[in-house]
Amino acid sequence: MKIPFISLIAAAVTSFALVAAPAPDAIAQPGAEALAAPISFQGAVNVRDIGGYRTYDGAKVKTGKAIRADALDKLTDADVQKLAGLNVKTVIDLRTQPEIQYSGPDKLPSGVQSVSRPIDDTGMFTQMLQAIQSRDPVKQEQLLGNGRAEQIMADVYRSFLTDASRAAFAQTIRDLAATDRATLYHCTAGKDRTGWVTYVVLRAIGVPERTARQDYLLSNQLRAAADAKLREDLERAGLMQNPDLLIPLQEVRGAYLDTAIELMEQTYGDFGKFLTQGLGLDPGTILKLRRNLVS
């Protein structure tokens, strides 16, 4: 029999979500633009409307258009009712099928369209679940210790530039360009796959890179309490003697984001060419995205 929280463990690790206290680079610097306010749910901890940020030309990103989130499979009835009040038309689920099968499908209000658009987890779900359930500290150390967890994260972010991942990210951006109501998109933790597509969208519509990066790093603060408890549960249940091995997987870090950015620039030259050549977005779609998301 699975212990009650093991599904959360598995799903969270799959999306590299077991978050500890904010890393030093996860905290906004003095004078930085105010970060997006979280939307509070009982069954999801990393939900926020990306509206409110300023673009280079002083315009403002609209609220009620694009909402980023972690998985919605644990929403309570009250959460579902609250989600209905956000006027969400479509929910795009970036989780892989094994993640969905293990944790469960999203709990959504009636009438909300659910779109499954899996982005490869690089095999992490099976690998990490087996390591945790093994209760073997030697195996866990071999997998995650001595910089191996950081390397896992670097590989994950490089995978965002594969053909299949770029296609999924691009279609999500096209959906955001076309929506007449709110579109919510999420992975399991709402920090890596969701974080990357949000970073790209914000930059594409003219939000400064620094601001887009701060939004990416905000996931550390929002997930900290829930995932610190999860880490404690792992140790208490005897699944891990050293759950701190998970900390590099728990955090979003500027270095992780830079891994994807550097590969993007090496491959395409600059961000604009990544949008057009890497994601296949024509200028009309990019303009439509800005008109839809920026007031």
Side-chain angles (χ1 to χ4, degrees), residues 277-289:
Q277 299 175 15
L279 297 180
L281 302 175
D282 60 83
T285 298
I286 297 171
L287 179 60
K288 185 178 180 182
L289 178 72

Side-chain angles (χ1 to χ4, degrees), residues 81-110:
Q81 185 175 0
K82 183 172 184 176
L83 184 61
L86 297 178
N87 199 32
V88 172
K89 180 178 182 179
T90 304
V91 169
I92 301 171
D93 189 346
L94 305 177
R95 295 178 296 169
T96 63
Q97 201 56 41
E99 290 176 89
I100 296 171
Q101 290 174 350
Y102 203 93
S103 298
D106 289 334
K107 296 179 180 177
L108 302 177
S110 176

Side-chain angles (χ1 to χ4, degrees), residues 41 72 74 110 118 157 161 178-179 248 253 284:
F41 288 98
L72 307 179
K74 294 176 178 61
S110 176
Y157 277 72
L161 277 294
T179 184
R253 297 180 179 178

Side-chain angles (χ1 to χ4, degrees), residues 35-40 45-49 82 218 222:
L35 295 168
I39 303 172
S40 178
V45 299
N46 194 12
V47 185
R48 56 196 187 270
D49 191 313
K82 183 172 184 176
L218 179 58
L222 298 185

Side-chain angles (χ1 to χ4, degrees), residues 2-293:
K2 298 172 184 173
I3 61 176
F5 56 84
I6 191 63
S7 62
L8 177 58
I9 295 167
V13 172
T14 304
S15 193
F16 326 106
L18 303 165
V19 180
D25 66 354
I27 300 173
Q29 299 300 312
E33 181 173 352
L35 295 168
I39 303 172
S40 178
F41 288 98
Q42 298 175 54
V45 299
N46 194 12
V47 185
R48 56 196 187 270
D49 191 313
I50 69 170
Y53 292 122
R54 290 287 182 182
T55 62
Y56 280 111
D57 59 3
K60 200 170 194 177
V61 181
K62 298 176 185 176
T63 59
K65 283 289 189 177
I67 300 172
R68 56 173 295 173
D70 47 348
L72 307 179
D73 55 276
K74 294 176 178 61
L75 294 188
T76 64
D77 291 343
D79 289 337
V80 173
Q81 185 175 0
K82 183 172 184 176
L83 184 61
L86 297 178
N87 199 32
V88 172
K89 180 178 182 179
T90 304
V91 169
I92 301 171
D93 189 346
L94 305 177
R95 295 178 296 169
T96 63
Q97 201 56 41
E99 290 176 89
I100 296 171
Q101 290 174 350
Y102 203 93
S103 298
D106 289 334
K107 296 179 180 177
L108 302 177
S110 176
V112 173
Q113 179 186 17
S114 178
V115 175
S116 179
R117 187 171 295 147
I119 294 178
D120 184 24
D121 67 353
T122 69
M124 281 293 296
F125 183 85
T126 301
Q127 184 182 29
M128 298 306 301
L129 180 59
Q130 288 176 346
I132 291 172
Q133 290 184 325
S134 74
R135 300 174 180 256
D136 183 345
V138 174
K139 182 176 181 179
Q140 292 164 357
E141 178 69 31
Q142 289 173 342
L143 178 64
L144 300 175
N146 296 319
R148 295 183 185 88
E150 289 88 346
Q151 185 58 53
I152 288 170
M153 293 302 295
D155 291 342
V156 168
Y157 277 72
R158 289 188 189 96
S159 78
F160 293 164
L161 277 294
T162 65
D163 290 348
S165 293
R166 285 187 288 106
F169 286 129
Q171 187 56 53
T172 300
I173 293 171
R174 292 188 186 97
D175 291 343
L176 290 172
T179 184
D180 57 343
R181 286 162 47 191
T183 294
L184 183 151
Y185 54 96
H186 74 86
C187 49
T188 293
K191 75 181 189 74
D192 296 307
R193 290 166 284 189
T194 299
W196 174 247
V197 71
T198 304
Y199 173 84
V200 171
V201 166
L202 288 175
R203 287 195 61 185
I205 60 178
V207 172
E209 197 277 343
R210 180 184 182 189
T211 302
R213 180 176 293 259
Q214 288 168 348
D215 181 84
Y216 163 81
L217 293 168
L218 179 58
S219 289
N220 280 344
Q221 298 178 37
L222 298 185
R223 295 203 56 91
D227 290 322
K229 181 181 183 302
L230 178 59
R231 197 166 64 250
E232 293 171 3
D233 288 342
L234 283 168
E235 186 171 15
R236 187 179 302 113
L239 287 171
M240 295 190 77
Q241 290 183 13
N242 182 17
D244 286 354
L245 287 170
L246 295 171
I247 288 176
L249 307 182
Q250 294 174 308
E251 297 174 342
V252 287
R253 297 180 179 178
Y256 300 160
L257 183 61
D258 288 340
T259 297
I261 293 171
E262 288 167 7
L263 180 58
M264 172 190 75
E265 292 176 345
Q266 290 169 7
T267 306
Y268 300 101
D270 58 40
F271 184 73
K273 290 180 180 177
F274 170 67
L275 291 179
T276 56
Q277 299 175 15
L279 297 180
L281 302 175
D282 60 83
T285 298
I286 297 171
L287 179 60
K288 185 178 180 182
L289 178 72
R290 179 178 168 88
R291 286 177 173 170
N292 196 35
L293 296 188

